[in-house]
Amino acid sequence: MKTTITRRALLLAGAAACVAARVGAAPGKAKPNILVIYADDLGYGDLSCYGAKTIHTPHIDRLAAHGTRFTNAHSPSATCTPSRYALLTGDYPWRTSGTQILPGDAPALIRPGRYTLPSMLKQAGYSTGFVGKWHLGLGDGKVDWNGEIGPGPLDIGFDHGFFMPATLDRVPTVLIDNRRVANLNPADPIRVDYKNKVGDEPTGAEHPEQLRYGADPEHSNTIVNGISRIGYMTGGKAARWDDENLSDLLLGKAVDFIASRKDAPFFLYYAVNEPHVPRAPNPRFVGKSGMGPRGDAILQLDWTVGELMRNLEEMGIARDTLVIFSSDNGPILFDGYEDRAVELAGAHRPAGPFSSGKYSILEGGTRVPMITSWPGHVRPGHVSTALIDHVDMLATLAALVGQALPRDAAVDSFDMLAPLMGRTDRGREYVVEDTKLMVTTGATVASSGSRILAIREGDWKLIRHSVEPQAFHGNAIGTRPQDQLYNLANDPSETTDLASTQADRARRLAARLDTIERDGRSRP
């Protein structure tokens, strides 16, 4: 037995040394801390390091200057829940039913026992934490917000979680500390309903005069902090977050987690809210961008990244920490609230040179900013053209820490460690992108209809046929009843459909997409 244990220890040590050699680290530093900062609805063109001229983001620019900035990185989907699902599981979200924008009381989408990014890193000896936006469902279909809440993040590999159940614009507007609502007064129990009004609290539809800014019918239910939300809520007054100070609170929780784990490898998934609606940044950022609440929220995001990096440096662990910064999908200006984002955008193009944004199968929906930094390891000041997708994070970080993936897990995740480190610009050969057709009926929260898929291969992109052209909240979805083919090198805005003139190529890509869908996996 002793011989077997010794041999296993030597094999593991050898594997760690091999990983260290791959990333250029000393054997003692083979396992860096890993910090994933996931923005919400941030577009490719929303940062000055990506070419924005009307807004300046010095802290994120500094992160890019010290690391590798990707120009062909993609979120797995054009909406939030599916992208987060793929990031944590390594599976394309369209392979699983229910991977759509979830209400705040939806059951847990990732079930206990599932192989995930945090569970893999936990096996590798990491402390695992999550702070920020969850939006992947909780419980088994009916959450008791006044008791222990689960399953949730702690049941899929996270050691610690401090998070909001869904999004800023959905009830309940409370934060969960591991398994219980933080600061909840038992004498003021929470009730939540997404179909029928509960309690007697005012709604945006009934009392628009109480609102900071107007909202569409979907976002006109219970008013919290002068902002009407999606869904109805009553109770939990002491537990409700304060929108203006929420980012500072979450930053403090992220820093606390890092400080308490800084002497051993940690993984922190920090899912910030900016610039998702409703945009209510801290007063110190209000009016600073000249672009209204959305621009001010981007400045708040930039400051948050700067503060996080400053804390890493002050703790003496910046050189031992791999930072991955990106966004869950493309940008949106109007998304239910009348905060003048469209009017005040001016010449700013939140998706940069690409068309549309959030909700869209066009490039603006999934082409997102992505930056990696790890002093001494990630190539500094590099701009990478490698095709990479967030679904690759599981396989890539498994390769970094020397973990083998089970055959039936992370079925669409590829090892992209070399491009992630800026060592090569050769990334994926192809990737599948998706969105869902948004359907709205009056005051009912937007639901997802037909799934829309596209495949990227090199400079070429094929969008599978679906329905007549559609738009949602001002963003074109990119649908047509026939297949579309674009050469993104020559036509990044996808204005010239080449499906008829490049018919053989279009048929080949369509067949490849059919095969990937049919096979149930794309990772060999």
Side-chain angles (χ1 to χ4, degrees), residues 66 105 168 218 236 477:
H66 291 178
D105 59 353
L168 287 170
E218 297 171 324
I477 303 300

Side-chain angles (χ1 to χ4, degrees), residues 42-99:
L42 185 73
Y44 184 96
D46 276 329
L47 305 173
S48 44
C49 57
Y50 277 87
K53 302 298 183 186
T54 54
I55 194 166
H56 185 43
T57 51
H59 300 291
I60 298 174
D61 292 359
R62 182 172 180 263
L63 188 70
H66 291 178
T68 289
R69 178 172 65 85
F70 292 84
T71 61
N72 202 6
H74 290 262
S75 59
S77 178
T79 54
C80 48
T81 295
S83 287
R84 292 160 198 271
Y85 174 89
L87 173 74
L88 294 180
T89 66
D91 291 358
Y92 285 137
W94 45 266
R95 294 200 189 278
T96 302
S97 63
T99 49

Side-chain angles (χ1 to χ4, degrees), residues 282-369:
N282 188 280
R284 64 181 180 273
F285 300 104
V286 173
K288 295 298 192 296
S289 70
M291 294 168 59
R294 185 176 187 274
D296 298 343
I298 293 172
L299 295 186
Q300 180 168 270
L301 167 64
D302 182 65
W303 176 87
T304 299
V305 171
E307 283 298 290
L308 200 57
M309 298 308 298
R310 180 181 65 79
N311 275 275
L312 292 178
E313 291 169 0
E314 289 182 354
M315 292 179 202
I317 58 172
R319 299 193 65 82
D320 301 325
T321 304
L322 167 64
V323 178
I324 302 169
F325 172 88
S326 197
S327 176
D328 64 348
N329 50 247
I332 186 81
L333 294 178
F334 172 79
D335 205 14
Y337 294 97
E338 297 169 3
D339 61 2
R340 303 179 67 206
V342 176
E343 174 188 348
L344 296 174
H348 179 64
R349 297 191 62 187
F354 307 110
S355 292
S356 199
K358 183 178 181 179
Y359 307 117
S360 178
I361 199 65
L362 298 171
E363 282 295 282
T366 64
R367 185 86 71 109
V368 291

Side-chain angles (χ1 to χ4, degrees), residues 183-520:
N183 303 317
L184 179 64
N185 179 358
D188 185 26
I190 297 171
R191 283 192 295 152
V192 170
D193 198 302
Y194 269 74
K195 294 181 179 179
N196 302 300
K197 184 179 179 181
V198 293
D200 57 2
E201 297 191 40
T203 68
E206 297 166 339
H207 294 280
E209 75 283 355
Q210 296 185 19
L211 301 177
R212 304 185 191 192
Y213 34 68
D216 66 9
E218 297 171 324
H219 295 78
S220 292
N221 299 148
T222 299
I223 299 173
V224 180
N225 300 333
I227 301 170
S228 52
R229 319 281 168 153
I230 299 174
Y232 300 99
M233 173 186 180
T234 189
K237 295 285 187 12
R240 299 184 186 187
W241 68 60
D242 172 30
D243 291 81
E244 285 84 356
N245 294 307
L246 179 58
S247 290
D248 285 0
L249 174 62
L250 296 176
L251 172 63
K253 295 296 182 179
V255 171
D256 288 347
F257 174 83
I258 292 170
S260 66
R261 272 83 170 178
K262 65 183 178 64
D263 296 327
F266 67 80
F267 164 60
L268 176 61
Y269 170 41
Y270 183 28
V272 296
N273 289 299
E274 293 87 1
H276 194 282
V277 296
R279 299 147 185 155
N282 188 280
R284 64 181 180 273
F285 300 104
V286 173
K288 295 298 192 296
S289 70
M291 294 168 59
R294 185 176 187 274
D296 298 343
I298 293 172
L299 295 186
Q300 180 168 270
L301 167 64
D302 182 65
W303 176 87
T304 299
V305 171
E307 283 298 290
L308 200 57
M309 298 308 298
R310 180 181 65 79
N311 275 275
L312 292 178
E313 291 169 0
E314 289 182 354
M315 292 179 202
I317 58 172
R319 299 193 65 82
D320 301 325
T321 304
L322 167 64
V323 178
I324 302 169
F325 172 88
S326 197
S327 176
D328 64 348
N329 50 247
I332 186 81
L333 294 178
F334 172 79
D335 205 14
Y337 294 97
E338 297 169 3
D339 61 2
R340 303 179 67 206
V342 176
E343 174 188 348
L344 296 174
H348 179 64
R349 297 191 62 187
F354 307 110
S355 292
S356 199
K358 183 178 181 179
Y359 307 117
S360 178
I361 199 65
L362 298 171
E363 282 295 282
T366 64
R367 185 86 71 109
V368 291
M370 180 170 165
I371 298 165
T372 58
S373 177
W374 179 15
H377 307 284
V378 170
R379 184 176 171 185
H382 181 56
V383 178
S384 175
T385 58
L387 176 63
I388 193 168
D389 190 276
H390 301 158
V391 75
D392 298 320
M393 285 303 105
L394 209 164
T396 300
L397 295 179
L400 174 68
V401 301
Q403 292 286 302
L405 296 179
R407 187 187 182 282
D408 61 350
V411 298
D412 298 301
S413 191
F414 286 75
D415 175 5
M416 291 287 111
L417 186 59
L420 193 82
M421 293 290 163
R423 299 296 177 85
T424 178
D425 286 351
R426 183 176 180 179
R428 274 178 162 265
E429 179 187 349
Y430 65 86
V431 70
V432 178
E433 303 165 355
D434 94 297
T435 191
K436 270 195 164 187
L437 189 64
M438 304 304 293
V439 180
T440 315
T441 54
T444 302
V445 62
S447 60
S448 298
S450 304
R451 182 74 74 179
I452 303 157
L453 297 180
I455 184 169
R456 278 285 317 278
E457 183 184 271
D459 292 332
W460 293 91
K461 176 176 178 178
L462 180 121
I463 302 174
R464 181 186 279 171
H465 61 276
S466 51
V467 296
E468 294 292 337
Q470 304 279 332
F472 188 75
H473 284 182
N475 278 353
I477 303 300
T479 51
R480 288 187 189 174
Q482 68 278 355
D483 288 351
Q484 304 167 62
L485 180 70
Y486 299 100
N487 184 315
L488 296 174
N490 302 327
D491 181 24
S493 297
E494 296 163 280
T495 58
T496 305
D497 181 4
L498 302 175
S500 59
T501 59
Q502 295 271 346
D504 289 345
R505 187 187 299 273
R507 280 192 292 268
R508 183 181 62 79
L509 285 174
R512 187 170 205 178
L513 178 56
D514 290 343
T515 299
I516 294 167
E517 185 177 23
R518 183 181 63 247
D519 287 354

